[in-house]
């Protein structure tokens, strides 16, 4: 065990020595052997605790070179150290951030590099902490990268952005280092230059992997997302690609990197992510680190490492000579006589001859040493044989002496027993010393555990300032601390009792040994009297007796010293116990203080939660009161609403009442958390106010009896809501607050709204039923006509245009044809689904009766069919203008968007009555998605054609003077302001047009007989922008919505 401890201490000393040698103020690169020892140390201790505990003592805030070398060593440790190094480094993340901020504000070249390097290390630690599957050295397979990215495209998108940021940090550091240095050979071979260039080896290793990650992730994104969405990603990748390629080329030309790292070559152009087949051409760049030459294992060598030599003597002379000879044989000697290289070759040859002579001398000396060693071995073997013979003679003499001294041995038996007794006493003393060492180690553990308890207590005090969410953890920590304190106290008492017991036992054994020594002394005295009659051979026995006496006195002295040491240990243990008791009392006092603070925090939390509840209730009261005030507001008389919208608001309010009731019950069970009740009250107040306002607006269009009852119930809803809020504001009435009365009033409002809904029997069945079939047939006819016209335009374009214009026109018309085909499939799927809905829902009634009973759904279906047909016709017109170069590309893009919106309206109108498990509904949804995809293709082909045909003038300002340039700049600013003003006016005009459109779509048409709201077929051309077009081509009205003013009008 002691050898193991010595080995650990020695390895720790070596690691600390390597840290001090690697991180210093000398402007030289970090030696690789020192960094390797530090990395091996992290694997031995399974972490970087020792590294950080020693590194934090460096003056990192005052010396920029020292801080730069520290960042380099930390980068190496993160890449090649133990896997727990990342966790240890994250504990010092804030310190690293502070160091970067400090040096970024100082005007120092190394300081600017340190700021960028610290930011890079922080980014690296944050990235690998978040994505633990990717180690800090970034060496993972494509399968691990795929598993880390996952199947969610949002996660892949986010991971790609993080890898971009990671690579940006690496490239900024490399560009700054190269910008500060002159890239010539002379600078890269100086110690100052190598000190800056050394960390770029790790940067090159990281960049090669990050580049590969980026390519893989971008190909995966392009397989799932449109190309336009990822345009920013492609631009950012192209910038990083060119920066990385420039960095690799510059580093490859430097002599410093040629022997240390093999830098890969990137392709001439970045990958084309728009073609998935380009992924097969991608080759992962691989960085190769050549095998290191054996270093001199001299720990006391603090001199800087030799620089990278660029002269012809950079390689060892033993290797240079064969290479030069091969060169001469292949190409012959250089022309023009001797030059410097010839002289160097001759010098190297002479050095080689000297080395060969020195080698021969060393061989001869080694042979001489071998001969001498062999002669010594022979002499030692002869001495060994002589010793063996003497041993045999001594055995014979010993046998003779044993026969002569048999009687004497009987008396010496007591001496042997005495010696055995002393040996046992020595063993027991050693055992006592081991027990003392164990007690000392246990005492050290107690001190360490006591310090750990103090740290836990400090952490607990900090945790008390947190919110209620950490109180359970505080309780567990308090119980654990109490248990640990009791256990440590019991262990201390037990160890003290064991020590006392051992001391008593040792004292008794000492007294027994003293009595035994006295008896042995008497025996020795009698032996001395008897030994006077023994022959001269007893002289040796007398000497043995004197030796035993001396050993007895030594053992007595050792026992005395052991007794004194035990007494001193007992007194120190007593003092330590008293000190532990005092510290235990202080800790218990702190725990009591913590408990009182915890109670105060609980009370404060309850008060804050109730204060939040009161504030929310006050705001809810103001919302309800504002809604009640609108009932008597003269301006509100002009506002109207439909019974359907009132029913939807009342149903939503009923749902919020249930949430309020549940939140109230949860708050009463746990008054420390009022979040659920606050959210429910906020939602209820807004929905109740909306119900009151829409109820009043609906009453303006209802009969007198219904209007009076509806207004009265709206006021009752407000009264009950305010009473409920009043009960919630007081702690005395909080328990009995109940929203049941509110539910009853809202149910009455819901019932009145259902009574005011129009009945299906009032609809003109024949007109509405026939109109559905007519509109669907007209839409199909419009699609067929559009396909025919596109074919005609295609043939005409092939006759009139050639070259790039013909290619653009064909691409646009082909995409329009595909869109028309997709719309045709959509109409067919919608018709099939409509038939299924009618057959499944009409029962015994006729088809026209079913349409009449579901008049609103029928009107929505008619409106959607008109919108699809109108959009297809407008697209054909816009495509014709674009092909003839009389229209704008933007018109075609807007028509595509309009068709996509109309398709969504048709799918929504069909989906309302359809069975969600219907196969025809699935077919309709697939057709809708296909239409949206084809519309997107139209937009993409239009934009691509616009980019190909539009020519951008090259701006040449070389011939302008300063005044001319200033004048042109002012004129350009005037044009920019005019265009911005025009854009703002057009946006306002678009907003007003949309408002007017919604108003026209929401106002009911003139009733016909029984009050059916249906479009009048008398003048179909009045709604069309062109009177010459048939009624099929006009843009239909949108679905109706209640004309309720926004809440901003009431405030």
């Amino acid at each position: 065990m002691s050898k193991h401890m010595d080995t650990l201490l020695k390895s720790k000393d070596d690691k600390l020595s390597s840290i001090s040698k690697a991180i210093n103020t000398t402007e030289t690169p970090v030696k690789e052997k020192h960094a390797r020892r530090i990395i091996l140390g992290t694997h031995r201790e399974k972490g970087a605790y020792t590294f950080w505990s020693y590194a934090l003592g460096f003056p990192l805030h005052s010396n920029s070179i020292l801080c730069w070398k520290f960042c380099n060593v930390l980068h190496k440790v993160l890449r090649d150290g133990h896997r727990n190094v990342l966790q240890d480094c994250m504990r010092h993340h804030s310190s690293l951030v502070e160091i970067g901020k400090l040096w970024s504000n100082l005007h120092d070249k190394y300081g600017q590099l340190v700021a960028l390097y610290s930011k890079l290390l922080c980014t690296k630690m944050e990235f690998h902490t978040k994505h633990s599957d990717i180690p800090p050295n970034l060496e993972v397979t494509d399968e691990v990268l795929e598993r880390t990215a996952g199947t969610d495209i949002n996660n892949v998108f986010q991971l790609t952005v993080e890898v971009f940021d990671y690579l940006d940090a690496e490239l900024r550091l490399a560009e700054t280092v190269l910008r500060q240095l002159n890239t010539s050979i002379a600078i890269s071979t100086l110690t100052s230059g190598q000190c800056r260039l050394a960390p770029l080896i790790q940067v090159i290793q990281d960049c090669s992997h990050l580049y590969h990650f980026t390519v893989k992730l971008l190909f995966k994104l392009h397989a799932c997302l449109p190309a336009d969405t990822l345009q920013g990603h492609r631009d950012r990748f192209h910038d990083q690609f060119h920066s990385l390629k420039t960095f690799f080329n510059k580093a490859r030309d430097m002599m410093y990197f040629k022997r240390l790292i093999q830098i890969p070559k990137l392709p001439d152009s970045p990958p084309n992510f728009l073609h998935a087949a380009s992924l097969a051409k991608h080759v992962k760049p691989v960085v190769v680190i050549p095998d290191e030459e054996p270093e001199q294992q001299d720990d006391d060598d603090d001199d800087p490492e030799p620089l990278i030599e660029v002269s012809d003597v950079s390689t060892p002379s033993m290797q240079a000579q064969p290479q030069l000879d091969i060169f001469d044989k292949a190409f012959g000697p250089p022309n023009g006589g001797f030059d410097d290289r010839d002289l160097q070759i001759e010098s190297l040859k002479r050095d080689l001859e000297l080395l060969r002579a020195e080698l021969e001398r060393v061989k001869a000396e080694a042979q001489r040493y071998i001969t001498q060693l062999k002669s010594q071995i022979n002499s030692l073997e002869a001495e060994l044989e002589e010793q063996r013979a003497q041993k045999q003679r001594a055995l014979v003499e010993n046998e003779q002496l044993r026969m002569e001294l048999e009687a004497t041995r009987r008396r010496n038996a007591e001496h042997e027993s005495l010696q055995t007794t002393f040996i046992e006493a020595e063993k027991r003393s050693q055992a006592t010393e081991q027990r003392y060492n164990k007690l000392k180690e246990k005492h050290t553990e107690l001190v360490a555990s006591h310090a750990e308890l103090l740290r836990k207590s400090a952490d607990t005090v900090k945790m008390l300032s947190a919110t209620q969410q950490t109180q359970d953890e505080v309780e567990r920590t308090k119980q654990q601390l109490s248990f640990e304190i009791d256990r440590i106290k019991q262990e201390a008492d037990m160890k003290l009792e064991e020590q006392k017991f051992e001391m008593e036992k040792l004292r008794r054994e000492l007294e027994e040994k003293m009595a035994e020594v006295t008896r042995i002394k008497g025996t020795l005295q009698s032996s001395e009297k008897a030994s006077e009659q023994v022959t001269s051979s007893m002289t040796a026995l007398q000497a043995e007796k004197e030796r035993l006496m001396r050993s007895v006195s030594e053992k007595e002295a050792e026992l005395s010293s052991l007794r004194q040491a035990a007494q001193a240990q007992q007194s120190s243990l007593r003092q330590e116990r008293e000190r532990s008791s005092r510290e235990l009392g202080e800790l218990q006092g702190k725990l009591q203080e913590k408990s009182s603070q915890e109670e105060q925090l609980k009370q404060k939390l309850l008060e804050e939660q109730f204060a939040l509840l009161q504030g929310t209730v006050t705001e809810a009261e103001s919302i309800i009161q504002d809604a009640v005030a609108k009932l008597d507001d003269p301006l509100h008389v002009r506002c109207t609403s439909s019974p359907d919208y009132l029913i939807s608001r009342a149903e939503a309010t009923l749902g919020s009442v249930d949430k309020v009731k549940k939140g109230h019950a949860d708050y009463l069970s746990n008054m420390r958390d009022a979040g659920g009740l606050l959210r429910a009250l906020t939602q209820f107040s807004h929905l109740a106010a909306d119900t009151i306002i829409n109820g009043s607006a609906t009453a303006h269009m209802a009969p007198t009896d219904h209007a009076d009852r509806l207004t009265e119930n709206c006021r009752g809803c407000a009264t009950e809501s305010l009473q409920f809020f009043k009960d919630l504001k007081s702690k005395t009435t909080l328990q009995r607050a109940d929203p049941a009365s509110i539910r009853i009033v809202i149910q009455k409002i819901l019932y009145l709204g259902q009574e005011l809904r129009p009945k299906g029997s009032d609809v003109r069945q024949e007109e509405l039923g026939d109109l559905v079939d007519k509109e669907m047939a007209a839409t199909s006819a419009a699609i067929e006509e559009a396909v025919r016209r596109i074919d005609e335009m295609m043939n005409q374009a092939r006759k009139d245009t050639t070259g790039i214009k013909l290619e653009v026109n064909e691409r646009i018309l082909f995409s329009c044809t595909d869109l028309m085909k997709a719309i045709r499939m959509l109409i067919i799927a919608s018709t099939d689904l409509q038939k299924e809905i009618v057959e499944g829902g009409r029962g015994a009634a006729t088809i026209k009766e079913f349409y009449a009973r579901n008049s609103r759904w029928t009107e929505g279906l008619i409106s959607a069919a008109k919108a699809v047909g109108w959009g297809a016709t407008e697209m054909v017109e816009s495509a014709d203008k674009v092909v003839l170069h009389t229209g704008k590309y933007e018109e075609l893009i807007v028509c595509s968007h309009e068709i996509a919106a109309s398709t969504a309206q048709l799918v929504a109108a069909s989906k309302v009555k359809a069975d969600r498990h219907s196969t025809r509904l699935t077919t309709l949804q697939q057709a809708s998605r296909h239409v949206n995809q084809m519309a997107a293709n139209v937009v993409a082909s239009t934009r691509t054609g616009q980019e190909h045909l539009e020519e951008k003038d090259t701006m040449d300002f070389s011939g302008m003077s300063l005044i001319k340039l200033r004048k042109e700049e002012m004129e350009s600013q005037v044009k920019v302001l005019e265009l911005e003003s025009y854009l703002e006016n057009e946006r306002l005009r678009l907003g007003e047009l949309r408002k007017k459109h919604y108003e026209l779509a929401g106002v009911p048409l003139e009733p016909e007989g029984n009050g059916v709201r249906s479009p009048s077929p008398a003048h179909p051309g009045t709604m069309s922008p062109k009177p010459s077009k048939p009624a099929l081509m006009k843009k239909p009205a949108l679905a109706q919505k209640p004309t309720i003013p926004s809440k901003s009008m009431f405030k």
Side-chain angles (χ1 to χ4, degrees):
M1 180 177 178
S2 61
K3 291 182 179 179
H4 182 64
M5 291 298 294
D6 294 340
T7 304
L8 291 178
L9 292 174
K10 185 176 183 302
S11 63
K12 185 176 182 180
D13 294 339
D14 293 341
K15 184 178 179 182
L16 297 179
S17 176
S18 299
I19 294 174
S20 62
K21 291 178 181 178
I23 305 173
N24 51 43
T25 59
T26 308
E27 194 173 6
T28 56
V30 177
K31 285 190 176 182
E32 192 63 30
K33 63 180 180 180
H34 297 154
R36 185 164 54 250
R37 288 175 184 171
I38 296 172
I39 294 170
L40 291 175
T42 62
H43 286 279
R44 290 193 188 99
E45 68 172 336
K46 294 181 172 46
Y49 177 79
T50 304
F51 171 75
W52 276 103
S53 61
Y54 193 78
L56 290 177
F58 287 122
L60 301 177
H61 297 80
S62 59
N63 193 299
S64 57
I65 298 177
L66 181 72
C67 193
W68 172 254
K69 298 178 78 172
F70 163 74
C71 293
N72 187 12
V73 174
L74 180 58
H75 198 171
K76 290 175 178 287
V77 169
L78 280 172
R79 281 187 54 83
D80 303 326
H82 193 267
R83 61 178 179 273
N84 295 334
V85 167
L86 181 61
Q87 300 176 0
D88 295 337
C89 292
M90 280 302 295
R91 297 189 183 98
H92 304 278
H93 180 273
S94 58
S95 301
L96 203 59
V97 173
E98 292 177 358
I99 292 173
K101 290 181 179 179
L102 171 67
W103 285 109
S104 63
N105 297 326
L106 300 178
H107 298 286
D108 182 83
K109 290 187 177 180
Y110 270 103
Q112 299 299 322
L113 296 179
V114 168
L116 294 174
Y117 210 162
S118 61
K119 186 176 180 181
L120 167 61
L121 294 176
C122 291
T123 304
K124 186 180 186 70
M125 291 188 293
E126 293 168 358
F127 177 84
H128 294 291
T129 302
K130 183 176 181 181
H131 306 286
S132 57
D133 292 340
I134 303 177
N137 58 7
L138 298 170
E139 294 179 358
V140 294
T141 60
D142 294 341
E143 290 78 9
V144 176
L145 179 63
E146 187 75 18
R147 186 170 63 254
T148 303
T151 57
D152 190 357
I153 196 62
N154 295 322
N155 296 337
V156 179
F157 194 91
Q158 181 63 27
L159 180 60
T160 307
V161 174
E162 293 174 359
V163 174
F164 276 146
D165 296 339
Y166 197 166
L167 187 56
D168 278 339
E170 301 272 3
L171 292 175
R172 278 197 296 269
L173 176 62
E175 291 172 357
T176 307
V177 171
L178 295 178
R179 187 167 59 251
Q180 287 191 7
L181 287 176
N182 182 3
T183 57
S184 65
I185 296 178
I187 295 300
S188 64
T189 56
L190 295 178
T191 56
S192 60
Q194 292 182 5
C195 183
R196 288 181 172 90
L197 292 174
L200 297 188
I201 296 176
Q202 286 75 42
V203 173
I204 293 172
Q205 291 175 314
D206 289 347
C207 289
S208 63
H209 293 290
L210 293 174
Y211 169 76
H212 178 66
F213 292 172
T214 308
V215 173
K216 286 286 186 181
L217 293 173
L218 282 178
F219 271 112
K220 185 172 183 179
L221 285 175
H222 279 78
C224 302
L225 295 176
D228 295 340
T229 306
L230 300 173
Q231 182 62 41
H233 277 45
R234 290 197 299 274
D235 295 340
R236 189 174 182 184
F237 174 79
H238 290 167
D239 295 340
Q240 290 185 349
F241 174 80
H242 295 301
S243 299
L244 183 61
K245 187 175 182 181
T246 303
F247 167 47
F248 278 6
N249 292 337
K250 289 183 179 179
R252 197 181 295 110
D253 295 337
M254 290 187 178
M255 296 300 298
Y256 176 72
F257 293 110
K258 289 187 177 181
R259 289 178 56 194
L260 298 178
I261 186 171
Q262 182 177 346
I263 303 173
K265 291 184 178 180
L266 297 181
D268 297 334
S269 60
N272 186 3
F273 298 107
L274 300 179
H275 297 282
S278 300
L279 179 60
K281 301 178 182 178
H282 169 67
V283 179
K284 179 180 179 180
V286 179
V287 177
V288 179
I289 303 295
D291 295 335
E292 299 178 0
E293 297 180 359
E295 299 180 0
Q296 184 178 359
Q297 302 295 329
D298 187 4
D299 296 340
D300 298 332
D301 183 14
D302 292 336
D303 294 334
E305 287 185 313
L307 305 179
I308 300 301
E309 299 292 342
V310 298
S311 62
D312 291 316
V313 296
S314 60
T315 57
S317 59
M318 298 294 292
Q319 299 177 2
Q321 181 62 33
Q323 294 177 358
L324 292 174
D325 294 339
I326 293 172
F327 181 86
D328 291 339
K329 288 179 181 180
F331 300 96
N335 297 326
F338 292 96
D339 56 5
D340 293 340
R341 288 177 292 179
D342 295 332
L343 296 177
Q344 291 177 0
I345 291 171
E346 293 297 330
S347 175
L348 290 174
K349 288 181 178 179
R350 289 194 297 272
D351 292 342
L352 181 61
E353 294 298 331
L354 292 176
L355 289 174
R356 286 177 179 173
E358 183 68 20
L359 179 62
E360 294 296 332
R361 186 181 62 79
V362 170
K363 288 182 179 179
E365 187 174 357
Q367 188 66 31
R368 182 170 57 82
Y369 284 153
I370 291 171
T371 305
Q372 292 178 359
L373 290 174
K374 286 183 178 179
S375 62
Q376 290 179 3
I377 290 171
N378 293 330
S379 63
L380 288 174
E381 288 178 351
E383 291 180 359
L384 179 61
E385 292 296 331
E386 185 179 356
Q387 291 292 335
R388 288 176 179 173
Q390 290 179 359
K391 179 181 178 181
Q392 293 294 332
R393 290 193 298 270
L395 290 174
V396 174
E397 292 177 356
N398 188 18
E399 185 66 23
Q400 293 175 356
L401 289 174
R402 187 179 63 180
M403 293 173 65
E404 293 175 354
L405 300 177
E406 184 176 356
T408 305
R409 288 200 173 196
R410 286 196 297 270
R411 290 192 294 271
N412 290 336
E414 296 181 356
H415 291 276
E416 292 176 358
S417 62
L418 176 63
Q419 185 176 2
T420 303
T421 303
F422 278 110
I423 291 173
E424 292 178 356
E426 183 177 2
K427 291 181 179 179
R428 289 175 181 172
S429 64
Q430 292 178 357
T432 305
E433 183 178 2
Q434 292 178 358
R435 293 192 193 99
Y436 169 75
N437 291 330
K438 290 181 180 179
L439 288 174
K440 186 175 180 181
E441 292 175 359
K442 194 62 180 178
H443 175 262
T444 305
E445 292 177 0
L446 289 174
V447 172
S449 63
H450 183 65
E452 183 66 20
L453 287 175
L454 289 178
R455 288 193 293 270
K456 289 182 179 179
S457 177
D459 294 338
T460 306
V461 172
K462 293 179 181 178
M463 291 168 63
L464 284 174
S465 60
T467 58
Q468 182 62 29
Q469 296 177 358
T470 61
Q471 291 182 0
D472 295 337
E473 185 177 355
V474 170
E475 291 293 334
R476 291 195 298 272
T477 306
K478 181 169 48 174
Q479 293 176 1
Q480 185 178 2
L481 287 174
S482 301
F483 176 77
E484 291 291 335
I485 290 169
D486 295 336
R487 184 178 62 82
I488 291 170
K489 186 176 180 181
Q490 292 175 3
E491 288 180 357
D493 294 337
M494 291 173 63
K495 295 300 178 182
L496 186 59
E497 293 296 329
E498 290 177 1
Q499 183 66 20
K500 289 182 178 179
F501 176 78
E502 292 292 336
M503 293 300 297
E504 292 295 331
K505 183 178 179 181
L506 187 61
R507 188 180 296 108
R508 289 195 300 270
E509 289 178 356
L510 183 60
E511 292 175 356
E512 291 175 1
K513 297 307 175 186
M514 290 299 296
E516 193 173 356
V517 167
T518 304
R519 184 176 60 81
I520 291 172
K521 285 182 179 180
T523 305
L524 286 176
Q525 291 177 359
S526 60
S527 298
E528 288 176 359
K529 293 179 181 179
S531 63
E532 292 176 356
Q533 300 175 1
V534 183
T535 60
S536 59
S537 61
M538 294 299 296
T539 305
L541 294 176
Q542 184 67 26
E544 182 67 20
K545 183 186 70 174
E546 292 175 356
R547 186 180 64 79
L548 289 175
M549 290 296 293
R550 288 194 300 272
S551 65
V552 168
S553 61
E554 291 175 357
K555 295 300 179 183
E556 289 178 353
E558 290 178 359
L559 288 175
S560 177
S561 61
L562 184 60
R563 187 185 301 108
Q564 294 176 358
Q567 292 176 356
Q569 179 65 20
Q570 186 176 4
S571 62
S572 63
L573 285 176
R574 188 181 299 109
Q575 294 176 359
E576 182 63 26
R577 182 181 178 184
E578 293 176 355
R579 187 172 62 83
S580 299
S581 300
R582 291 194 301 270
E583 293 177 351
L584 181 61
E586 294 177 357
L587 186 59
Q588 289 177 350
K590 291 180 179 179
L591 286 176
Q592 293 177 358
E593 183 180 355
K594 179 191 67 175
S595 300
S596 62
Q597 292 178 356
E598 180 183 350
E599 293 298 330
Q600 294 176 0
L601 287 175
K602 288 181 179 179
Q603 186 62 30
K604 184 177 179 181
L605 179 61
L606 292 176
E607 294 175 356
E608 289 178 353
Q609 292 294 321
F610 188 71
L612 287 174
L613 177 59
Q614 287 182 330
T616 304
V617 169
T618 303
E619 183 64 23
E621 286 179 345
S622 63
I623 293 173
I624 297 297
Q625 291 171 357
D626 182 67
V628 174
K630 298 299 183 293
L631 299 179
D632 300 327
D633 191 353
L635 298 177
H636 185 64
V637 177
R638 300 176 58 188
C639 298
T640 60
S641 179
S642 65
D644 291 331
Y645 190 72
L646 176 61
I647 291 171
S648 66
R649 294 295 86 195
E651 290 175 349
T653 307
L654 285 176
S656 67
V657 170
D658 296 334
K659 294 181 181 179
V660 168
K661 187 173 182 180
K662 184 178 182 299
H664 180 253
D666 294 341
Y667 178 66
L668 291 179
S669 61
N670 183 15
M671 301 188 72
R672 292 174 295 183
D673 184 12
L677 181 57
L678 296 181
R679 290 189 293 271
L681 285 175
T682 303
Q683 183 185 16
F684 168 74
S685 61
H686 287 284
L687 291 175
D690 203 5
T691 302
I692 293 170
I693 295 174
N694 284 281
S696 176
T698 305
H700 295 160
M701 298 180 62
T704 305
D705 186 23
H706 287 80
D708 294 340
R709 285 192 293 162
L710 189 58
T711 304
E712 182 181 356
N713 286 323
C714 290
R715 295 184 186 274
C717 177
T719 303
E720 295 296 335
S721 300
L722 293 176
Q723 181 61 35
F724 177 67
F725 292 155
K726 183 178 179 181
D727 294 339
L728 290 179
K729 291 178 68 176
S730 176
K731 291 185 178 180
T732 57
T733 58
L734 180 62
Q735 298 286 341
R736 64 171 183 268
D738 189 8
S741 58
I742 303 175
R743 170 185 289 277
I744 295 173
V745 178
I746 295 176
Q747 287 177 348
K748 293 180 180 179
I749 296 175
L750 179 61
Y751 177 73
L752 289 173
Q754 291 175 350
E755 287 185 350
L756 292 174
R757 293 178 66 180
K759 304 301 186 294
S761 60
D762 298 333
V763 180
R764 296 178 61 183
Q765 300 177 0
E766 181 179 358
E767 181 180 355
L768 191 59
D770 294 338
L771 190 58
V772 175
D773 298 333
K774 290 179 181 179
E775 289 299 335
M776 296 300 291
T779 303
S780 300
I783 298 300
E784 296 292 338
E785 179 65 19
V787 172
R788 186 187 63 77
R789 289 191 60 190
I790 290 174
D791 292 337
E792 293 178 356
M793 285 187 286
M794 179 72 73
N795 297 329
Q796 187 65 30
R798 288 172 179 171
K799 294 178 182 179
D800 298 340
T801 57
T802 57
I804 189 66
K805 293 184 179 180
L806 177 60
E807 182 181 354
V808 170
N809 292 336
E810 285 182 347
R811 189 183 296 115
I812 293 175
L813 293 176
F814 279 143
S815 61
C816 292
T817 303
D818 294 338
L819 178 58
M820 292 301 132
K821 293 179 181 178
I823 294 174
R824 181 192 302 165
M825 298 303 297
L826 178 70
I827 296 299
I828 295 173
S830 177
T831 304
D832 294 340
L833 180 60
Q834 176 188 344
K835 293 178 180 179
E836 179 181 320
I837 293 170
V838 173
E839 292 298 330
R842 69 187 181 90
T846 62
I847 296 176
K848 294 182 178 181
E849 290 176 352
F850 176 79
Y851 282 130
R853 188 167 60 247
N854 301 277
S855 59
R856 291 187 179 276
W857 174 73
T858 305
E859 291 174 3
L861 197 62
I862 294 171
S863 176
K866 286 183 179 181
V868 172
W870 178 83
T873 305
E874 286 299 319
M875 170 166 281
V876 173
E877 295 294 335
S878 300
D880 190 10
K881 293 179 181 179
V882 168
V883 171
L884 297 177
H885 302 289
T886 59
K888 299 180 180 179
Y889 290 96
E890 288 77 7
E891 295 179 359
L892 196 57
I893 294 174
V894 172
C895 288
S896 301
H897 292 165
E898 187 67 25
I899 287 178
S902 302
T903 302
Q905 182 182 355
L906 181 60
V907 173
S910 302
K911 189 176 179 182
V912 171
K913 295 290 182 179
D915 184 8
R916 61 180 180 179
H917 300 294
S918 174
T919 57
R920 295 185 179 181
L921 176 60
T922 304
T923 304
L924 178 62
Q925 292 175 342
Q926 292 176 355
S928 175
R929 286 193 289 269
H930 187 54
V931 169
N932 291 335
Q933 184 178 0
M934 293 299 104
N937 291 339
V938 172
V939 174
S941 60
T942 303
R943 289 178 176 173
T944 304
Q946 185 178 9
E947 292 176 357
H948 287 168
L949 295 179
E950 288 183 353
E951 297 181 357
K952 297 182 178 179
D953 298 333
T954 57
M955 293 178 288
D956 185 11
F957 306 116
S958 58
M960 294 185 180
S961 62
L962 180 61
I963 301 302
K964 183 68 174 178
L965 286 172
R966 188 64 177 175
K967 183 178 179 181
E968 292 291 335
E969 181 181 354
M970 293 177 64
E971 292 178 355
S972 179
Q973 288 179 356
V974 171
K975 290 181 180 179
V976 168
L977 292 176
E978 289 177 352
L979 292 175
E980 288 179 351
S981 177
Y982 179 73
L983 177 61
E984 186 65 25
N985 293 332
E986 285 298 320
R987 285 177 175 170
L988 293 174
R989 183 172 178 270
L990 177 61
E992 294 298 329
L993 288 173
R994 287 177 176 173
K995 289 181 181 179
K996 188 63 177 176
H997 176 76
Y998 294 147
E999 289 177 2
L1000 293 176
V1003 175
L1005 299 178
E1006 290 296 331
E1008 298 179 3
N1010 53 4
V1012 177
R1013 291 184 293 109
S1014 61
S1016 175
H1019 301 284
T1022 58
M1023 295 292 292
S1024 176
K1026 295 181 179 181
S1028 60
K1029 291 186 179 180
L1032 174 64
M1033 299 180 183
K1034 69 180 180 180
K1035 185 173 181 179
L1038 298 178
Q1040 295 181 3
K1041 62 183 290 188
T1043 57
I1044 300 175
S1046 61
K1047 293 185 178 180
S1048 60
M1049 295 175 61
F1050 299 149
K1051 297 182 179 180

